[in-house]
Amino acid sequence: MECNGGAEKKKTYMSTITLEMKSSRESPAQGCGVTSTENGTALKGKKKTQRDTRKAVTPKRKDTSGTGPAVEFVDPVENVQVHVGETAQLFCSFNCSGPTASCWIHNRKKVVLDGDRTRIESSTRGSVLTISEVLPVDVGSYTIFVQTRRGLAEHTIVLSICDRPEPPASCPFVSQLTPSSLVLSWSGPNYDGGSQITDYVVEMQNFGPAESGDWSVLTSECKDTTYRVCSGLHAQGEYCFRVRACNAVGVSEPSEESDCIKMITAGGLQEEALPQVDVVIDTTHKVKDVYNIHEKLGVGKFGQVFRLTHKETGRVCAGKFYRAFGSKDKAAAREEIKLMKGLHHPKLVQCLGAFDTRSEIVLIMEYIAGGELFERIVDDNFEHTEPNSMKYMRQILEGILYLHHKCIVHLDLKPENIVCINATGTCIKIIDFGLARKLEPGKPLMVMHGTPEFVAPEVICYEPVTLATDMWSIGVICYILLSGESPFQGNTDAETLALVTAATWEFDPEFDDITDEAKDFICKLLKKEKSTRMSCEQALAHLWMASSAGRVTKSLNKDKMRHFLARQRWRRTGKAVLALQRMTNLSNRSDGSDSPTSTLNDTALEKEAEDAVVALEQQLRSEPNFPQTLHDLTEPCGATVYMACIVQGYPDPEVVWLFNDKPLEETERVQIEYKDDGLRTLTLTQVQPRDSGIYEIRASNHLGQALCSARLTVAN
């Protein structure tokens, strides 16, 4: 990205000080200049001639002010909140010495000095960023970087906006349809108005013969993005649904309306309608005390899954028996149980209970009998088309959207973790949350596990994962679903990981009959840079989700899908999850104190913002200079002469004092001090006629050199 500040005029900030030589009895504390003191009675009896002990000149830095911070922020504000359309002022005051340069960064982009709605006023004491007619796009973090000659400092202010939320991003989708009930699922709003979503209002429109067709409120206190409608529905009725989002400010406009649902078409249960249960962890009994244990359903890295039947009710369940021998394994098992206890969505497998005893830890889940989705697709009696594939992807997105709203990343999305509810329907669920993790603000999460074909590049490179990490895996699943080919499959795991890291892929010939909308959907997910991938909300709102709904396309070839499944079955023998090793070591970075970016502390800046911050140091650069020159002076023999000046320039100039064109050396009578605030002093005691001559101070840095001088005459 180009740096907006690259063309800004170079600025030089300088203070002025007079360098001169003053005579008579003026105290050095009265100003910057030269002071002489006549020899009085206190000097009587002292020898006029002293033996000089000469030594090399070394700068003396007695001023300890340089040990503090480069910039001290005064009463820093951390949060500013305004309403949409108002003017926001972000003020940052600071204390520092010398010239300063500053810039504001918003969400990793430089704020324009004088933009359409932004104005920045800066001085050596602070900076004010004014944003007029605030819009939702203005929310986020605003960081001011202040550069001084002693270093770089930063402070962040978070701007939030109070407004009612945008409508939910998608219309309600219907699942678990029975003759008398159904479940609605939808996507939350893309923008919450700057305040947390507290509730959803679910509305229904009845198209029955005696109905007016007006919208009625089913509930105004729905806390999640799913809602079960189990009353008020008639077997012969036709209904539409829509949803509104609520926050502390108000209620949004309604979402798009759902398709018209005819209850008579339900026919029967497509999904078993499981009620939401309060999960109880039994720490007293063993599984076999409550359940009969039957055949093994699967084996994974973390344990085995068996079919169970409850001894009293006969209810069929699935039990995941963890391999929890050590404390670390037990902690991981309990973490998965804790996570699953809070998941209640029709597209996610539901936790029903758990057993946690000294000898075993078992998770009880609903039993899903339909088998893996890809296994269903290759069945000869199953029609495999692009519109059907789109419906499966929609269901996957609905389930993952629920997770992402809870800041949970699945981290193991792959075909075998997508299963069908039963042997005849087309409803699916997502299973296996053994690798799922909850993301916490300010705590980067890095993992080294996953399945090579489906992990995102950031996992292999051991970089922080985000919600976008799941979106990469969804893109891979969609690619395979439509073609039967894996976009990153290599001959070895190492080759596969290399292809993923490079994000190298292309559409196979199998995509010749696939719509452009579907290809665009995949392209917007399989992006190496995670910040550019579609989110769940954006994926559900993608044109493919609507364009393929009513389109009739030919059946897709299943042969490659069968080959893919055969290869997967072979690869899963003996290992369900592959631990990933980093393919490259992180390069060592130089963090020297002389680097203008060394104090950024790994702030994730885009190139535009990084260039803007680096440019601050350039703005301070100036060649050495003296605002005023020295004045000649005549002093009596035996006086004390004090010379002082402040040298300007950045980087700090190297300073040398000269006497009659030769470097001046320190002696007992000649004292030189250099201080951090730029003050340079020369003190001559008991001056003699031999001290008469030209005194010069020469300052230089890589930008140039400056010289000023004065003549001192010592009278007999």
Side-chain angles (χ1 to χ4, degrees):
M1 300 179 67
E2 294 183 358
C3 176
N4 293 337
E8 291 183 8
K9 182 179 180 181
K10 181 179 179 182
K11 299 179 180 179
T12 304
Y13 301 83
M14 295 181 291
S15 60
T16 59
I17 189 71
T18 301
L19 175 60
E20 59 182 349
M21 302 181 70
K22 295 185 179 180
S23 61
S24 189
R25 300 171 179 80
E26 182 179 344
S27 168
Q30 292 178 305
C32 284
V34 181
T35 303
S36 65
T37 304
E38 294 186 27
N39 189 20
T41 58
L43 297 178
K44 291 182 179 180
K46 290 184 178 284
K47 294 182 180 180
K48 299 291 184 180
T49 304
Q50 297 185 7
R51 185 169 190 162
D52 292 348
T53 304
R54 299 186 178 275
K55 55 184 176 180
V57 178
T58 55
K60 294 182 179 179
R61 297 187 176 271
K62 297 181 179 179
D63 187 0
T64 59
S65 62
T67 60
V71 177
E72 179 185 1
F73 293 101
V74 181
D75 298 326
V77 176
E78 296 184 350
N79 296 281
V80 173
Q81 190 175 72
V82 297
H83 288 84
V84 170
E86 293 182 345
T87 297
Q89 276 201 335
L90 280 61
F91 178 75
C92 189
S93 177
F94 44 80
N95 288 331
C96 57
S97 61
T100 63
S102 62
C103 68
W104 289 85
I105 303 296
H106 173 224
N107 291 348
R108 299 184 296 173
K109 294 184 178 180
K110 183 182 178 184
V111 180
V112 180
L113 187 65
D114 289 305
D116 294 335
R117 296 184 298 106
T118 58
R119 185 177 73 257
I120 299 175
E121 298 174 280
S122 298
S123 69
T124 58
R125 309 299 296 174
S127 181
V128 180
L129 168 59
T130 303
I131 307 171
S132 59
E133 299 177 1
V134 171
L135 299 174
V137 295
D138 298 323
V139 300
S141 298
Y142 289 80
T143 301
I144 181 172
F145 289 88
V146 183
Q147 178 77 56
T148 70
R149 290 180 297 188
R150 288 176 48 201
L152 181 68
E154 62 182 271
H155 176 66
T156 298
I157 301 175
V158 177
L159 175 64
S160 58
I161 298 177
C162 297
D163 193 16
R164 64 176 186 160
E166 293 182 355
S170 69
C171 67
F173 301 107
V174 175
S175 60
Q176 295 188 4
L177 180 63
T178 77
S180 60
S181 68
L182 55 82
V183 171
L184 298 172
S185 303
W186 59 90
S187 304
N190 292 326
Y191 176 60
D192 61 6
S195 179
Q196 181 179 0
I197 300 299
T198 56
D199 300 282
Y200 288 97
V201 178
V202 182
E203 300 176 345
M204 179 179 72
Q205 190 177 32
N206 191 340
F207 293 98
E211 301 294 334
S212 63
D214 294 336
W215 289 95
S216 60
V217 176
L218 294 178
T219 180
S220 60
E221 298 180 347
C222 180
K223 302 297 183 182
D224 230 320
T225 55
T226 61
Y227 182 71
R228 182 181 296 277
V229 184
C230 53
S231 63
L233 301 176
H234 303 287
Q236 305 296 321
E238 299 181 17
Y239 305 95
C240 279
F241 301 91
R242 68 185 188 186
V243 183
R244 301 174 188 263
C246 309
N247 66 7
V249 178
V251 182
S252 75
E253 294 295 321
S255 68
E256 294 183 7
E257 300 173 13
S258 70
D259 295 333
C260 184
I261 305 301
K262 297 181 179 181
M263 302 303 294
I264 195 173
T265 63
L269 283 171
Q270 293 187 20
E271 297 182 56
E272 181 184 4
L274 287 173
Q276 181 172 319
V277 298
D278 293 327
V279 177
V280 177
I281 300 178
D282 192 332
T283 59
T284 305
H285 302 90
K286 293 186 177 182
V287 176
K288 63 181 181 181
D289 296 333
V290 183
Y291 290 88
N292 293 315
I293 303 174
H294 303 288
E295 73 274 14
K296 185 187 299 182
L297 301 176
V299 179
K301 177 182 178 181
F302 303 102
Q304 303 178 82
V305 181
F306 291 82
R307 184 173 66 89
L308 310 176
T309 54
H310 196 277
K311 289 184 176 181
E312 293 184 4
T313 65
R315 182 178 184 178
V316 180
C317 303
K320 182 175 182 178
F321 291 70
Y322 292 92
R323 295 193 185 105
F325 302 118
S327 58
K328 187 175 181 180
D329 294 332
K330 289 182 179 180
R334 289 167 181 146
E335 190 65 26
E336 181 179 359
I337 293 172
K338 177 182 177 182
L339 184 145
M340 288 199 65
K341 283 176 60 179
L343 301 182
H344 304 287
H345 191 277
K347 299 306 173 188
L348 307 179
V349 64
Q350 186 168 343
C351 172
L352 304 177
F355 293 81
D356 188 351
T357 65
R358 184 175 181 180
S359 59
E360 65 180 8
I361 300 179
V362 182
L363 171 65
I364 308 300
M365 303 171 290
E366 62 175 309
Y367 177 70
I368 304 175
E372 296 177 14
L373 171 62
F374 280 28
E375 296 283 359
R376 166 74 61 78
I377 289 174
V378 298
D379 189 285
D380 291 335
N381 297 321
F382 189 85
E383 185 181 19
H384 182 36
T385 64
E386 181 180 329
N388 283 344
S389 299
M390 180 273 295
K391 293 176 183 177
Y392 295 129
M393 294 307 304
R394 174 185 287 169
Q395 294 180 72
I396 294 171
L397 289 167
E398 290 174 17
I400 297 302
L401 178 64
Y402 175 85
L403 286 181
H404 287 186
H405 280 172
K406 290 180 172 290
C407 293
I408 295 173
V409 57
H410 189 281
L411 293 177
D412 198 22
L413 290 174
K414 53 187 177 181
E416 52 261 47
N417 286 339
I418 312 297
V419 297
C420 296
I421 296 298
N422 52 47
T424 58
T426 57
C427 293
I428 60 95
K429 282 181 180 283
I430 300 170
I431 64 171
D432 198 345
F433 295 86
L435 300 181
R437 295 291 183 272
K438 187 174 181 65
L439 301 178
E440 298 181 20
K443 295 183 179 180
L445 173 65
M446 289 163 288
V447 298
M448 294 182 67
H449 49 235
T451 304
E453 292 176 74
F454 301 94
V455 295
E458 58 266 27
V459 176
I460 301 172
C461 296
Y462 199 60
E463 298 173 350
V465 298
T466 66
L467 300 179
T469 302
D470 281 343
M471 303 311 295
W472 172 280
S473 303
I474 290 174
V476 177
I477 292 172
C478 186
Y479 188 105
I480 299 172
L481 189 60
L482 293 173
S483 67
E485 293 280 357
S486 177
F488 302 105
Q489 178 61 52
N491 295 323
T492 64
D493 285 342
E495 185 176 337
T496 299
L497 297 176
L499 291 173
V500 173
T501 303
T504 302
W505 64 280
E506 59 184 7
F507 286 114
D508 288 334
E510 294 294 326
F511 279 91
D512 290 345
D513 296 325
I514 301 300
T515 62
D516 291 337
E517 291 87 351
K519 295 177 185 176
D520 182 71
F521 181 87
I522 294 172
C523 287
K524 289 182 177 178
L525 292 174
L526 296 183
K527 290 181 175 291
K528 184 173 183 178
E529 177 54 50
K530 54 181 178 283
S531 64
T532 62
R533 297 172 203 156
M534 286 194 299
S535 64
C536 266
E537 289 91 344
Q538 292 169 332
L540 282 167
H542 190 274
L543 185 60
W544 186 47
M545 289 289 131
S547 64
S548 300
R551 181 177 300 176
V552 178
T553 60
K554 70 176 185 178
S555 296
L556 303 179
N557 193 310
K558 300 181 181 181
D559 291 337
K560 289 192 174 183
M561 180 74 77
R562 292 189 178 96
H563 289 304
F564 170 81
L565 290 175
R567 185 175 66 248
Q568 292 297 104
R569 282 191 289 267
W570 179 84
R571 290 175 58 83
R572 282 152 58 183
T573 302
K575 57 177 182 178
V577 180
L578 176 70
L580 299 177
Q581 301 298 325
R582 296 182 63 185
M583 299 184 65
T584 56
N585 294 324
L586 296 176
S587 60
N588 293 324
R589 294 184 303 171
S590 174
D591 291 324
S593 60
D594 58 341
S595 170
T597 59
S598 62
T599 56
L600 292 179
N601 298 325
D602 297 328
T603 304
L605 300 178
E606 292 182 359
K607 188 176 186 304
E608 173 188 358
E610 184 177 350
D611 289 346
V613 174
V614 173
L616 295 178
E617 197 261 354
Q618 298 291 335
Q619 294 178 30
L620 293 182
R621 292 181 180 271
S622 64
E623 60 185 16
N625 66 93
F626 301 93
Q628 294 187 22
T629 61
L630 296 169
H631 297 285
D632 296 340
L633 181 66
T634 300
E635 293 294 330
C637 183
T640 296
V641 178
Y642 175 80
M643 301 181 186
C645 70
I646 292 181
V647 180
Q648 299 173 350
Y650 183 77
D652 286 341
E654 293 291 332
V655 176
V656 177
W657 285 89
L658 305 173
F659 174 53
N660 292 335
D661 292 328
K662 294 181 180 180
L664 186 61
E665 298 178 338
E666 277 195 316
T667 69
E668 292 181 356
R669 293 194 311 108
V670 179
Q671 296 294 316
I672 298 173
E673 291 184 348
Y674 296 167
K675 298 186 178 181
D676 284 334
D677 58 2
L679 181 66
R680 310 300 193 236
T681 64
L682 172 63
T683 304
L684 305 174
T685 60
Q686 297 183 6
V687 293
Q688 303 298 318
R690 68 174 183 274
D691 296 321
S692 298
I694 303 297
Y695 289 83
E696 300 175 319
I697 182 168
R698 182 177 297 163
S700 61
N701 59 21
H702 72 277
L703 297 175
Q705 178 176 286
L707 177 72
C708 69
S709 62
R711 177 182 293 276
L712 172 63
T713 301
V714 180
N716 288 324

